[in-house]
């Protein structure tokens, strides 16, 4: 068994084509690394960006891959390596329908699955694909001056797609929020919060006088969050009302009754887009000192590890739960001894793994955390009532996920 470590800088070589590292005897053209092994451990080193952000007009693109320290994926010779890629950009697109057509044409014949949405305000993409196809799309996108400095985040290699199919289309709202977001000035960077690099964010967390705002869903917080962040009392981002609710509920709203002029508010989410959108709303409501974590939690964990972070990261694809790179173990979802926040939805005991499951009742499908005892006793259901439902799916073992509902509708 041989080991190969790749470190991709923030500005990748123009001829980047390191997917060849797992093909038959050949050479990586960018790094001149001969590959003559039957199997290879691939380590992807993270970008260690810690400098202050430059203006949005900078020509230096950012390219980030997550590190796998102690549980490297092992790929046999000839086996396809899949990457999971995420990026977004708010920028004016004059004819988004035509832009969609261009992207569809480029991806024709390429094995890309995921969600890629575009409209007049920009693009939002999460997709998976074989390394050569996944990177080809990024390189092609960066040839457009509107996207040449876009922050692209690439997760560790996996053995299969993280998404069932490709959905690339025009979408009126790049993120779902009550009332829509098309009326918001998202392309005006002055109306969004000030972005902080991961290192700047870590230093700000040392100031306990700031308000730390988790702009995600409650079930995402349940498996991982920054220390000191209050659990969001929502199960869907579209229902978020922090700082804008007419009835200021101090218990559930961290922004209730705060001084809008002087209070520093640090907002974070998975990849950054929800914070950018919501900060625009708060800016319109008079909040002055707004800051977001550039690249979101995923970028922070790549650059700073698990400092001030507790647990895992919830992701909206087949992986569901990702551990911070610095705490990767053989079992990626095991809870560490000092993590006591994650509780079973049914009995409220400490769970043994930070990974959600769906209720086995097809007509319920609740996403919840569950201990092994309750999972066995209730046969994968979230409550005793669901165990007597008409359409019960089989209990899944390990990290399996249920297929789409139509696979079970006649059972």
């Amino acid at each position: 068994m041989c080991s190969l470590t790749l470190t991709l800088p923030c500005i990748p070589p123009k001829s980047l084509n390191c997917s060849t590292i797992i093909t038959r005897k050949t050479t990586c053209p960018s790094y001149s690394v001969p590959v003559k092994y039957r199997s290879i451990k691939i380590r992807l080193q993270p970008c260690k960006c810690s400098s202050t952000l430059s203006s949005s007009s900078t020509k230096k693109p950012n390219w980030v891959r997550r590190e796998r320290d102690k549980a490297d994926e092992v790929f046999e010779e000839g086996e396809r390596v899949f990457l999971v890629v995420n990026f977004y950009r708010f920028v004016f697109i004059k004819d988004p329908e035509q832009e969609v057509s261009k992207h569809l044409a480029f991806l024709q014949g390429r094995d890309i699955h995921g969600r890629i949405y575009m409209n007049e305000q920009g693009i939002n993409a999460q997709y998976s694909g074989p390394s050569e196809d996944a990177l080809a799309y990024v390189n092609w996108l960066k040839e457009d001056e509107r996207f040449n400095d876009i922050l692209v985040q690439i997760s560790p290699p996996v053995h299969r797609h993280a998404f069932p199919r490709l959905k690339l289309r025009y979408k009126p709202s790049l993120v779902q929020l009550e009332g829509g977001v098309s009326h918001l000035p998202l392309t005006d960077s002055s109306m969004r919060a000030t972005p902080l690099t991961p290192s700047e964010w870590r230093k700000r967390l040392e100031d306990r006088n700031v308000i730390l705002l988790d702009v995600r869903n409650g079930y995402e917080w349940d498996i991982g969050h920054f220390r000191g962040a209050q659990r969001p009392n929502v199960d869907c981002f579209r229902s978020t009302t922090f700082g804008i609710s007419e009835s200021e509920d101090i218990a559930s709203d961290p922004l209730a009754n705060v001084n809008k002029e002087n209070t520093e508010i640090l907002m974070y989410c998975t990849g950054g887009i929800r914070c950018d959108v919501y900060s625009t709303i708060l800016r319109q409501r008079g909040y002055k000192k707004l800051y977001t974590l550039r690249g979101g939690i995923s970028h922070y964990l790549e650059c700073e590890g698990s400092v001030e972070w507790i647990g895992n990261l919830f992701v909206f694809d087949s992986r569901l739960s990702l551990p911070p790179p610095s705490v990767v173990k053989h079992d990626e979802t095991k809870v560490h001894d000092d993590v006591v926040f994650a509780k079973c939805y049914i009995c409220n005991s400490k769970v043994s793994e930070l990974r959600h499951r769906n209720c086995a009742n097809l007509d319920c499908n609740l996403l919840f955390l569950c201990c092994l005892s309750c999972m066995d006793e209730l046969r994968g259901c979230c409550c005793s009532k669901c165990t007597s439902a008409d359409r019960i799916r089989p209990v899944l073992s390990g990290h399996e996920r249920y297929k789409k509902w139509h696979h079970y509708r006649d059972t």
Side-chain angles (χ1 to χ4, degrees):
M1 182 70 64
C2 296
S3 177
L4 176 64
T5 299
L6 297 182
T7 301
L8 297 185
C10 284
I11 309 174
K14 186 175 181 180
S15 61
L16 181 65
N17 182 26
C18 288
S19 59
T20 53
I21 56 175
I22 46 85
T23 56
R24 298 184 182 279
K25 296 181 181 180
T26 183
T27 299
C28 171
S30 298
Y31 296 90
S32 300
V33 180
V35 178
K36 303 179 180 179
Y37 315 116
R38 286 190 57 80
S39 59
I40 304 170
K41 285 187 176 181
I42 301 177
R43 289 180 180 158
L44 302 175
Q45 298 291 100
C47 159
K48 295 295 184 180
C49 297
S50 58
S51 59
T52 303
L53 289 174
S54 58
S55 67
S56 60
S57 61
T58 178
K59 297 301 182 182
K60 295 183 178 181
N62 292 279
W63 191 288
V64 180
R65 285 192 174 190
R66 281 191 55 188
E67 180 181 19
R68 295 296 294 268
D69 295 351
K70 302 176 182 178
D72 301 300
E73 293 279 3
V74 178
F75 297 89
E76 296 299 325
E77 180 182 0
E79 184 177 359
R80 301 173 82 193
V81 176
F82 287 77
L83 301 178
V84 182
V85 181
N86 299 270
F87 59 80
Y88 74 94
R89 166 58 56 86
F90 290 118
V91 63
F92 176 67
I93 298 179
K94 183 177 181 180
D95 189 345
E97 295 283 6
Q98 182 183 32
E99 193 73 21
V100 168
S101 297
K102 286 171 51 181
H103 285 243
L104 284 172
F106 179 81
L107 292 179
Q108 184 69 32
R110 290 183 167 87
D111 187 12
I112 296 295
H113 290 190
R115 301 179 292 261
I116 304 173
Y117 300 134
M118 283 175 260
N119 64 18
E120 291 81 1
Q121 296 176 308
I123 184 172
N124 184 19
Q126 303 89 39
Y127 67 88
S128 61
S131 56
E132 60 274 18
D133 290 345
L135 296 179
Y137 182 42
V138 170
N139 287 330
W140 176 79
L141 180 76
K142 284 176 174 284
E143 292 175 0
D144 188 325
E145 63 179 9
R146 295 171 298 180
F147 307 111
N148 62 1
D149 64 340
I150 196 170
L151 176 63
V152 177
Q153 299 188 67
I154 304 176
S155 296
V158 292
H159 290 275
R160 61 186 65 84
H161 274 294
F163 301 90
R165 63 185 183 281
L166 174 63
K167 292 192 290 186
L168 198 169
R169 61 182 175 85
Y170 175 89
K171 194 171 186 179
S173 295
L174 295 181
V175 296
Q176 298 303 305
L177 195 63
E178 197 68 40
V181 300
S182 60
H183 63 286
L184 298 175
L186 297 177
T187 58
D188 182 357
S189 59
S190 67
M191 290 300 295
R192 302 196 299 267
T194 302
L196 301 176
T197 63
S199 63
E200 291 171 334
W201 178 270
R202 177 174 50 79
K203 293 175 183 177
R204 288 294 184 104
L205 292 179
E206 298 173 0
D207 183 359
R208 297 305 174 185
N209 293 319
V210 302
I211 290 181
L212 191 55
L213 192 65
D214 192 322
V215 192
R216 300 180 299 161
N217 304 312
Y219 59 82
E220 295 177 74
W221 184 98
D222 288 341
I223 68 166
H225 54 266
F226 281 107
R227 296 182 189 276
Q230 182 174 321
R231 186 185 189 276
N233 191 29
V234 295
D235 289 327
C236 182
F237 177 65
R238 69 162 63 241
S239 303
T240 302
T241 58
F242 297 138
I244 64 175
S245 175
E246 297 299 330
S247 58
E248 296 184 339
D249 185 350
I250 298 178
S252 62
D253 188 352
L255 301 186
N257 300 323
V258 303
N259 186 312
K260 296 182 179 181
E261 293 283 339
N262 301 318
T263 304
E264 292 193 355
I265 302 171
L266 274 59
M267 310 169 60
Y268 72 90
C269 57
T270 305
I273 189 169
R274 285 180 282 183
C275 289
D276 272 345
V277 170
Y278 205 75
S279 69
T280 304
I281 295 175
L282 293 180
R283 187 78 78 191
Q284 291 181 328
R285 293 296 183 108
Y287 292 87
K288 301 298 184 183
K289 297 186 177 181
L290 299 171
Y291 302 91
T292 54
L293 175 55
R294 185 177 188 247
I297 305 163
S298 56
H299 189 35
Y300 178 89
L301 296 178
E302 290 155 3
C303 298
E304 301 295 331
S306 58
V307 178
E308 295 298 323
W309 177 261
I310 305 172
N312 286 3
L313 174 62
F314 184 97
V315 290
F316 291 91
D317 57 56
S318 63
R319 299 169 299 169
L320 275 184
S321 176
L322 296 179
S326 61
V327 295
V328 172
K329 304 295 182 182
H330 177 69
D331 186 336
E332 297 180 347
T333 58
K334 286 294 183 183
V335 180
H336 295 268
D337 292 338
D338 61 342
V339 180
V340 297
F341 68 92
K343 301 294 183 63
C344 174
Y345 173 81
I346 299 168
C347 70
N348 207 40
S349 65
K350 183 179 176 180
V351 296
S352 60
E353 65 173 6
L354 295 174
R355 179 176 292 272
H356 288 78
R357 64 171 53 248
N358 290 99
C359 178
N361 176 8
L362 180 62
D363 299 307
C364 172
N365 205 43
L366 177 71
L367 192 67
F368 68 105
L369 288 173
C370 185
C371 68
L372 295 177
S373 176
C374 289
M375 182 186 69
D376 292 338
E377 182 179 347
L378 298 180
R379 304 194 304 279
C381 292
C382 68
C383 63
S384 57
K385 181 179 179 180
C386 281
T387 61
S388 59
D390 293 332
R391 301 195 293 178
I392 300 294
R393 295 173 289 196
V395 179
L396 296 181
S397 60
H399 296 162
E400 291 182 88
R401 293 195 66 192
Y402 287 118
K403 298 178 181 179
K404 291 296 183 179
W405 69 272
H406 60 80
H407 288 279
Y408 308 96
R409 61 186 173 188
D410 297 325
T411 60

Short mmCIF file of all heavy atoms in Angstrom, two decimals, residues 171-215:
data_model
loop_
_atom_site.label_atom_id
_atom_site.label_comp_id
_atom_site.label_asym_id
_atom_site.label_seq_id
_atom_site.Cartn_x
_atom_site.Cartn_y
_atom_site.Cartn_z
N LYS A 171 -34.23 28.80 -11.20
CA LYS A 171 -35.03 28.76 -9.98
C LYS A 171 -35.22 30.18 -9.48
O LYS A 171 -34.24 30.91 -9.29
CB LYS A 171 -34.34 27.90 -8.92
CG LYS A 171 -35.24 27.52 -7.76
CD LYS A 171 -34.57 26.51 -6.85
CE LYS A 171 -35.54 26.03 -5.78
NZ LYS A 171 -34.92 25.03 -4.88
N PRO A 172 -36.47 30.60 -9.27
CA PRO A 172 -36.73 31.98 -8.85
C PRO A 172 -35.97 32.41 -7.60
O PRO A 172 -35.55 33.56 -7.50
CB PRO A 172 -38.25 31.99 -8.61
CG PRO A 172 -38.76 30.89 -9.48
CD PRO A 172 -37.71 29.84 -9.46
N SER A 173 -35.77 31.50 -6.65
CA SER A 173 -35.02 31.80 -5.43
C SER A 173 -33.89 30.80 -5.27
O SER A 173 -34.13 29.59 -5.30
CB SER A 173 -35.94 31.74 -4.19
OG SER A 173 -36.93 32.75 -4.24
N LEU A 174 -32.65 31.30 -5.09
CA LEU A 174 -31.51 30.41 -4.93
C LEU A 174 -31.56 29.68 -3.60
O LEU A 174 -30.98 28.61 -3.44
CB LEU A 174 -30.20 31.20 -5.05
CG LEU A 174 -29.92 31.81 -6.43
CD1 LEU A 174 -28.59 32.54 -6.43
CD2 LEU A 174 -29.94 30.74 -7.52
N VAL A 175 -32.23 30.27 -2.61
CA VAL A 175 -32.52 29.60 -1.34
C VAL A 175 -33.98 29.86 -1.02
O VAL A 175 -34.55 30.87 -1.44
CB VAL A 175 -31.62 30.09 -0.18
CG1 VAL A 175 -30.17 29.75 -0.43
CG2 VAL A 175 -31.78 31.59 0.04
N GLN A 176 -34.58 28.95 -0.28
CA GLN A 176 -36.00 29.06 0.02
C GLN A 176 -36.23 29.83 1.32
O GLN A 176 -35.73 29.45 2.37
CB GLN A 176 -36.63 27.67 0.12
CG GLN A 176 -36.56 26.88 -1.18
CD GLN A 176 -37.21 27.62 -2.34
OE1 GLN A 176 -38.36 28.01 -2.27
NE2 GLN A 176 -36.44 27.80 -3.40
N LEU A 177 -36.97 30.94 1.23
CA LEU A 177 -37.29 31.75 2.39
C LEU A 177 -38.71 32.28 2.22
O LEU A 177 -39.14 32.58 1.10
CB LEU A 177 -36.30 32.91 2.52
CG LEU A 177 -36.27 33.66 3.86
CD1 LEU A 177 -35.83 32.72 4.98
CD2 LEU A 177 -35.30 34.84 3.78
N GLU A 178 -39.43 32.36 3.33
CA GLU A 178 -40.81 32.84 3.28
C GLU A 178 -40.86 34.20 2.60
O GLU A 178 -40.16 35.13 2.98
CB GLU A 178 -41.37 32.95 4.71
CG GLU A 178 -42.88 33.03 4.77
CD GLU A 178 -43.56 31.73 4.35
OE1 GLU A 178 -43.05 30.65 4.71
OE2 GLU A 178 -44.58 31.81 3.66
N GLY A 179 -41.70 34.31 1.55
CA GLY A 179 -41.81 35.56 0.81
C GLY A 179 -40.83 35.68 -0.34
O GLY A 179 -40.87 36.65 -1.10
N GLY A 180 -39.95 34.68 -0.49
CA GLY A 180 -38.99 34.71 -1.58
C GLY A 180 -37.81 35.62 -1.30
O GLY A 180 -37.79 36.35 -0.30
N VAL A 181 -36.82 35.60 -2.18
CA VAL A 181 -35.62 36.44 -2.01
C VAL A 181 -35.32 37.27 -3.25
O VAL A 181 -34.35 38.03 -3.27
CB VAL A 181 -34.38 35.59 -1.65
CG1 VAL A 181 -34.61 34.81 -0.36
CG2 VAL A 181 -34.02 34.63 -2.78
N SER A 182 -36.12 37.14 -4.29
CA SER A 182 -35.84 37.86 -5.54
C SER A 182 -35.90 39.37 -5.38
O SER A 182 -35.29 40.11 -6.16
CB SER A 182 -36.83 37.42 -6.63
OG SER A 182 -38.17 37.68 -6.25
N HIS A 183 -36.61 39.86 -4.36
CA HIS A 183 -36.72 41.30 -4.13
C HIS A 183 -35.55 41.85 -3.32
O HIS A 183 -35.41 43.07 -3.18
CB HIS A 183 -38.03 41.60 -3.38
CG HIS A 183 -38.09 40.99 -2.02
ND1 HIS A 183 -38.29 39.64 -1.82
CD2 HIS A 183 -37.95 41.53 -0.77
CE1 HIS A 183 -38.29 39.37 -0.52
NE2 HIS A 183 -38.09 40.50 0.14
N LEU A 184 -34.69 40.98 -2.79
CA LEU A 184 -33.58 41.41 -1.96
C LEU A 184 -32.38 41.84 -2.82
O LEU A 184 -32.12 41.24 -3.87
CB LEU A 184 -33.15 40.29 -1.02
CG LEU A 184 -34.18 39.81 -0.01
CD1 LEU A 184 -33.66 38.60 0.77
CD2 LEU A 184 -34.56 40.93 0.95
N PRO A 185 -31.63 42.85 -2.38
CA PRO A 185 -30.46 43.32 -3.14
C PRO A 185 -29.24 42.44 -2.91
O PRO A 185 -28.19 42.90 -2.43
CB PRO A 185 -30.26 44.74 -2.59
CG PRO A 185 -30.72 44.66 -1.18
CD PRO A 185 -31.89 43.69 -1.20
N LEU A 186 -29.34 41.18 -3.27
CA LEU A 186 -28.29 40.21 -2.96
C LEU A 186 -26.99 40.47 -3.74
O LEU A 186 -25.91 40.10 -3.27
CB LEU A 186 -28.79 38.79 -3.24
CG LEU A 186 -29.96 38.32 -2.39
CD1 LEU A 186 -30.42 36.93 -2.81
CD2 LEU A 186 -29.59 38.33 -0.91
N THR A 187 -27.09 41.07 -4.91
CA THR A 187 -25.88 41.32 -5.70
C THR A 187 -25.12 42.55 -5.23
O THR A 187 -24.02 42.82 -5.73
CB THR A 187 -26.24 41.47 -7.19
OG1 THR A 187 -27.17 42.54 -7.35
CG2 THR A 187 -26.85 40.18 -7.74
N ASP A 188 -25.68 43.28 -4.30
CA ASP A 188 -25.02 44.46 -3.72
C ASP A 188 -24.29 44.02 -2.45
O ASP A 188 -24.90 43.81 -1.41
CB ASP A 188 -26.05 45.54 -3.40
CG ASP A 188 -25.42 46.82 -2.85
OD1 ASP A 188 -24.19 46.84 -2.65
OD2 ASP A 188 -26.17 47.79 -2.62
N SER A 189 -22.98 43.88 -2.54
CA SER A 189 -22.20 43.36 -1.41
C SER A 189 -22.30 44.26 -0.18
O SER A 189 -22.14 43.79 0.95
CB SER A 189 -20.73 43.18 -1.80
OG SER A 189 -20.17 44.42 -2.21
N SER A 190 -22.56 45.56 -0.37
CA SER A 190 -22.67 46.47 0.77
C SER A 190 -23.91 46.20 1.59
O SER A 190 -23.99 46.63 2.75
CB SER A 190 -22.67 47.92 0.29
OG SER A 190 -23.86 48.22 -0.45
N MET A 191 -24.88 45.49 1.01
CA MET A 191 -26.11 45.17 1.73
C MET A 191 -26.01 43.83 2.45
O MET A 191 -26.92 43.45 3.19
CB MET A 191 -27.30 45.16 0.77
CG MET A 191 -27.69 46.54 0.26
SD MET A 191 -28.13 47.67 1.60
CE MET A 191 -29.61 46.88 2.26
N ARG A 192 -24.91 43.11 2.23
CA ARG A 192 -24.70 41.85 2.93
C ARG A 192 -23.75 42.07 4.11
O ARG A 192 -23.10 43.10 4.21
CB ARG A 192 -24.13 40.79 1.98
CG ARG A 192 -25.00 40.52 0.76
CD ARG A 192 -24.58 39.23 0.07
NE ARG A 192 -23.22 39.24 -0.41
CZ ARG A 192 -22.84 39.59 -1.63
NH1 ARG A 192 -23.75 39.99 -2.52
NH2 ARG A 192 -21.57 39.57 -1.98
N ALA A 193 -23.67 41.10 4.97
CA ALA A 193 -22.77 41.19 6.12
C ALA A 193 -21.32 41.17 5.66
O ALA A 193 -20.98 40.74 4.56
CB ALA A 193 -23.04 40.04 7.08
N THR A 194 -20.43 41.64 6.54
CA THR A 194 -19.00 41.62 6.25
C THR A 194 -18.47 40.20 6.42
O THR A 194 -18.62 39.59 7.49
CB THR A 194 -18.25 42.54 7.22
OG1 THR A 194 -18.76 43.87 7.11
CG2 THR A 194 -16.76 42.54 6.92
N PRO A 195 -17.85 39.62 5.37
CA PRO A 195 -17.34 38.25 5.49
C PRO A 195 -16.02 38.21 6.25
O PRO A 195 -15.15 39.07 6.08
CB PRO A 195 -17.15 37.82 4.04
CG PRO A 195 -16.88 39.10 3.31
CD PRO A 195 -17.68 40.16 4.01
N LEU A 196 -15.87 37.20 7.12
CA LEU A 196 -14.64 36.98 7.86
C LEU A 196 -13.98 35.70 7.40
O LEU A 196 -14.66 34.70 7.14
CB LEU A 196 -14.94 36.87 9.36
CG LEU A 196 -15.61 38.07 10.04
CD1 LEU A 196 -15.90 37.73 11.50
CD2 LEU A 196 -14.76 39.32 9.94
N THR A 197 -12.66 35.69 7.30
CA THR A 197 -11.95 34.46 7.00
C THR A 197 -12.06 33.54 8.21
O THR A 197 -12.37 33.98 9.32
CB THR A 197 -10.46 34.73 6.72
OG1 THR A 197 -9.86 35.28 7.89
CG2 THR A 197 -10.29 35.70 5.56
N PRO A 198 -11.82 32.24 8.03
CA PRO A 198 -11.89 31.32 9.18
C PRO A 198 -11.03 31.75 10.37
O PRO A 198 -11.46 31.65 11.52
CB PRO A 198 -11.42 29.99 8.58
CG PRO A 198 -11.88 30.06 7.16
CD PRO A 198 -11.66 31.50 6.76
N SER A 199 -9.82 32.24 10.10
CA SER A 199 -8.95 32.65 11.21
C SER A 199 -9.49 33.89 11.91
O SER A 199 -9.41 34.02 13.14
CB SER A 199 -7.52 32.92 10.71
OG SER A 199 -7.50 33.99 9.78
N GLU A 200 -10.05 34.82 11.13
CA GLU A 200 -10.67 36.01 11.72
C GLU A 200 -11.88 35.62 12.56
O GLU A 200 -12.12 36.17 13.64
CB GLU A 200 -11.07 36.99 10.63
CG GLU A 200 -9.91 37.64 9.90
CD GLU A 200 -10.34 38.45 8.69
OE1 GLU A 200 -11.40 38.14 8.12
OE2 GLU A 200 -9.61 39.38 8.32
N TRP A 201 -12.64 34.67 12.06
CA TRP A 201 -13.83 34.19 12.78
C TRP A 201 -13.42 33.57 14.12
O TRP A 201 -14.04 33.84 15.16
CB TRP A 201 -14.56 33.18 11.92
CG TRP A 201 -15.77 32.56 12.54
CD1 TRP A 201 -15.80 31.42 13.29
CD2 TRP A 201 -17.12 33.03 12.48
NE1 TRP A 201 -17.08 31.14 13.68
CE2 TRP A 201 -17.92 32.11 13.20
CE3 TRP A 201 -17.73 34.13 11.88
CZ2 TRP A 201 -19.30 32.27 13.33
CZ3 TRP A 201 -19.10 34.29 12.00
CH2 TRP A 201 -19.88 33.36 12.73
N ARG A 202 -12.39 32.75 14.09
CA ARG A 202 -11.93 32.09 15.31
C ARG A 202 -11.53 33.12 16.36
O ARG A 202 -11.85 32.96 17.55
CB ARG A 202 -10.75 31.16 15.00
CG ARG A 202 -10.15 30.49 16.22
CD ARG A 202 -9.08 29.48 15.82
NE ARG A 202 -8.11 30.04 14.92
CZ ARG A 202 -7.09 30.83 15.29
NH1 ARG A 202 -6.93 31.13 16.57
NH2 ARG A 202 -6.25 31.28 14.39
N LYS A 203 -10.85 34.16 15.95
CA LYS A 203 -10.45 35.21 16.90
C LYS A 203 -11.66 35.96 17.44
O LYS A 203 -11.69 36.32 18.62
CB LYS A 203 -9.48 36.17 16.21
CG LYS A 203 -8.15 35.53 15.85
CD LYS A 203 -7.26 36.48 15.07
CE LYS A 203 -5.95 35.80 14.67
NZ LYS A 203 -5.09 36.70 13.85
N ARG A 204 -12.66 36.20 16.59
CA ARG A 204 -13.87 36.89 17.04
C ARG A 204 -14.64 36.06 18.06
O ARG A 204 -15.32 36.61 18.93
CB ARG A 204 -14.78 37.22 15.85
CG ARG A 204 -14.28 38.31 14.93
CD ARG A 204 -14.26 39.67 15.62
NE ARG A 204 -13.88 40.73 14.71
CZ ARG A 204 -14.71 41.60 14.17
NH1 ARG A 204 -16.00 41.55 14.48
NH2 ARG A 204 -14.28 42.53 13.35
N LEU A 205 -14.55 34.75 17.94
CA LEU A 205 -15.27 33.89 18.88
C LEU A 205 -14.74 34.04 20.31
O LEU A 205 -15.42 33.68 21.27
CB LEU A 205 -15.17 32.42 18.45
CG LEU A 205 -15.91 32.04 17.16
CD1 LEU A 205 -15.69 30.55 16.86
CD2 LEU A 205 -17.40 32.34 17.27
N GLU A 206 -13.52 34.54 20.44
CA GLU A 206 -12.94 34.73 21.76
C GLU A 206 -13.62 35.87 22.51
O GLU A 206 -13.52 35.97 23.73
CB GLU A 206 -11.44 35.00 21.63
CG GLU A 206 -10.67 33.84 21.02
CD GLU A 206 -9.22 34.19 20.74
OE1 GLU A 206 -8.83 35.34 21.04
OE2 GLU A 206 -8.48 33.32 20.23
N ASP A 207 -14.30 36.75 21.77
CA ASP A 207 -15.03 37.86 22.37
C ASP A 207 -16.42 37.39 22.75
O ASP A 207 -17.27 37.18 21.89
CB ASP A 207 -15.11 39.03 21.39
CG ASP A 207 -15.81 40.25 21.99
OD1 ASP A 207 -16.26 40.18 23.14
OD2 ASP A 207 -15.91 41.27 21.26
N ARG A 208 -16.67 37.20 24.02
CA ARG A 208 -17.95 36.67 24.47
C ARG A 208 -19.07 37.71 24.48
O ARG A 208 -20.19 37.40 24.86
CB ARG A 208 -17.78 36.08 25.88
CG ARG A 208 -16.82 34.90 25.92
CD ARG A 208 -17.20 33.80 24.94
NE ARG A 208 -16.21 32.74 24.87
CZ ARG A 208 -16.27 31.72 24.02
NH1 ARG A 208 -17.29 31.65 23.18
NH2 ARG A 208 -15.34 30.79 24.01
N ASN A 209 -18.76 38.94 24.05
CA ASN A 209 -19.79 39.98 24.01
C ASN A 209 -20.55 40.00 22.69
O ASN A 209 -21.51 40.76 22.54
CB ASN A 209 -19.16 41.36 24.26
CG ASN A 209 -18.62 41.49 25.67
OD1 ASN A 209 -19.25 41.04 26.62
ND2 ASN A 209 -17.45 42.11 25.80
N VAL A 210 -20.12 39.18 21.74
CA VAL A 210 -20.81 39.12 20.46
C VAL A 210 -21.99 38.15 20.54
O VAL A 210 -22.06 37.31 21.45
CB VAL A 210 -19.86 38.67 19.33
CG1 VAL A 210 -18.67 39.61 19.21
CG2 VAL A 210 -19.39 37.24 19.56
N ILE A 211 -22.93 38.28 19.60
CA ILE A 211 -24.03 37.33 19.50
C ILE A 211 -23.71 36.36 18.39
O ILE A 211 -23.43 36.76 17.25
CB ILE A 211 -25.36 38.04 19.22
CG1 ILE A 211 -25.81 38.83 20.45
CG2 ILE A 211 -26.44 37.03 18.84
CD1 ILE A 211 -27.14 39.54 20.27
N LEU A 212 -23.71 35.08 18.70
CA LEU A 212 -23.42 34.03 17.73
C LEU A 212 -24.74 33.48 17.23
O LEU A 212 -25.52 32.90 17.99
CB LEU A 212 -22.58 32.94 18.39
CG LEU A 212 -21.94 31.88 17.50
CD1 LEU A 212 -21.10 32.52 16.41
CD2 LEU A 212 -21.10 30.94 18.34
N LEU A 213 -25.00 33.66 15.94
CA LEU A 213 -26.30 33.31 15.37
C LEU A 213 -26.18 32.15 14.39
O LEU A 213 -25.55 32.27 13.33
CB LEU A 213 -26.89 34.53 14.65
CG LEU A 213 -28.36 34.46 14.22
CD1 LEU A 213 -29.27 34.36 15.44
CD2 LEU A 213 -28.73 35.68 13.38
N ASP A 214 -26.75 31.02 14.74
CA ASP A 214 -26.77 29.84 13.87
C ASP A 214 -27.96 29.96 12.94
O ASP A 214 -29.12 29.85 13.35
CB ASP A 214 -26.90 28.57 14.73
CG ASP A 214 -26.63 27.30 13.94
OD1 ASP A 214 -27.04 27.24 12.76
OD2 ASP A 214 -26.03 26.37 14.50
N VAL A 215 -27.69 30.22 11.64
CA VAL A 215 -28.76 30.44 10.67
C VAL A 215 -29.05 29.14 9.92
O VAL A 215 -29.05 29.09 8.69
CB VAL A 215 -28.41 31.59 9.70
CG1 VAL A 215 -29.63 32.02 8.89
CG2 VAL A 215 -27.87 32.79 10.46
#
